[in-house]
Amino acid sequence: MSGGRWSEKMMAACEWVMRIVLLNLLWLCLTVLGLGILGAGPATAAVYAVTRKWVQGESDVPLFATCWQTYRAEFGKANALGWITAIAGFILFMDYQFFLAQQGAIYSVLRMIITAFGLAYVVIAVNLFPVFVHYDIRFMQCFKFAFFIGFAKPLHTLGMAVAVAAMVALTLVFPVLFPFCAISGSSFWVMRLANRSFQTIEKRKQA
C-alpha cells in the first residue's frame, strides 16, 4: 500500500472516530438537558437518527442540527419508549430473581416462562429505537414492528444484542469509554444491522 493511500485511510478512520466521540458527547449533553430521567430517551432517539443516516451513506450529516431536531420533535414519544422499556426490563429482572430463589416444579415452569418473556424483551429492546427512527408509524406499532422484525431476522438481532453486550462489558472494564463511545458506538453497529433487516424486508415486499 502506498504512503498516500495509507494516509487517506488513517484520516478517514480518524474522522469516523471523531464523529463517534462527538455524537456520544451530544448524547450526554442532551441527556443532562432533560435532567437525565427525561433526557435519555430522546437523546438516544437522536443518536439513532444520526447513525441511521450514517449507515445509509450520509456521512456528512450535521450532527447537532439532526440531534436537536429529533430530540425536540420526538421528546414525548422517545421518553415513553425509554420508560416502558426500562420498567418492563426491571419487572422481568425482579420476577426472574424471585422465581430463581424459589424451589419446586411450579417455579421451574415460571422461570421458563419468564425466560421466554426475557428473550422477547431483548428482541424488542434492541430493535425498538432503530424501528422508531426508521418507520413513520403509530407509537404502539413500534413494539409490534420491533418484535416481528427481530424474530424475522434472528441473526441480525443476535448481532445487535452481542454489540450492545460487548459495549457494556467494555465500559465496565474501561469506564473511561462511556462518555466517548458507549452509546454512539453501540448505536452505530445496532443501526447497521437493523438497516440490513429493513432492506431485506422491503425487498421482499417489492418482489
Side-chain angles (χ1 to χ4, degrees), residues 67-86:
C67 282
W68 182 240
Q69 180 182 4
T70 305
Y71 185 87
R72 292 180 60 192
E74 307 296 348
F75 189 85
K77 289 182 180 179
N79 260 309
L81 283 178
W83 275 105
I84 289 172
T85 305

Side-chain angles (χ1 to χ4, degrees), residues 15-164:
E15 287 178 6
W16 274 108
V17 170
M18 185 61 67
R19 289 187 184 113
I20 292 289
V21 171
L22 287 175
L23 184 57
N24 208 80
L25 292 174
L26 276 173
W27 179 85
L28 284 172
C29 292
L30 292 174
T31 299
V32 172
L33 183 64
L35 303 178
I37 59 174
L38 294 178
T44 302
V47 167
Y48 274 97
V50 171
T51 55
R52 174 179 176 268
K53 291 184 179 294
W54 282 351
V55 300
Q56 291 181 338
E58 299 180 48
S59 58
D60 293 326
V61 59
L63 294 184
F64 180 79
T66 305
C67 282
W68 182 240
Q69 180 182 4
T70 305
Y71 185 87
R72 292 180 60 192
E74 307 296 348
F75 189 85
K77 289 182 180 179
N79 260 309
L81 283 178
W83 275 105
I84 289 172
T85 305
I87 291 171
F90 177 76
I91 291 173
L92 283 171
F93 176 77
M94 295 303 294
D95 283 348
Y96 184 79
Q97 291 298 313
F98 173 77
F99 293 133
L100 191 64
Q102 308 304 315
Q103 301 295 325
I106 184 62
Y107 290 109
S108 296
V109 173
L110 290 173
R111 283 196 295 272
M112 293 174 62
I113 294 173
I114 289 294
T115 300
F117 275 109
L119 174 62
Y121 171 83
V122 171
V123 170
I124 293 172
V126 297
N127 283 280
L128 190 57
F129 276 99
V131 164
F132 179 65
V133 300
H134 185 77
Y135 292 103
D136 183 17
I137 54 179
R138 293 191 301 272
F139 177 77
M140 291 307 298
Q141 283 186 305
C142 291
F143 296 93
K144 178 182 176 181
F145 273 48
F147 177 84
F148 285 112
I149 291 174
F151 276 105
K153 306 300 295 182
L155 292 180
H156 289 169
T157 298
L158 177 61
M160 294 155 72
V162 169
V164 173

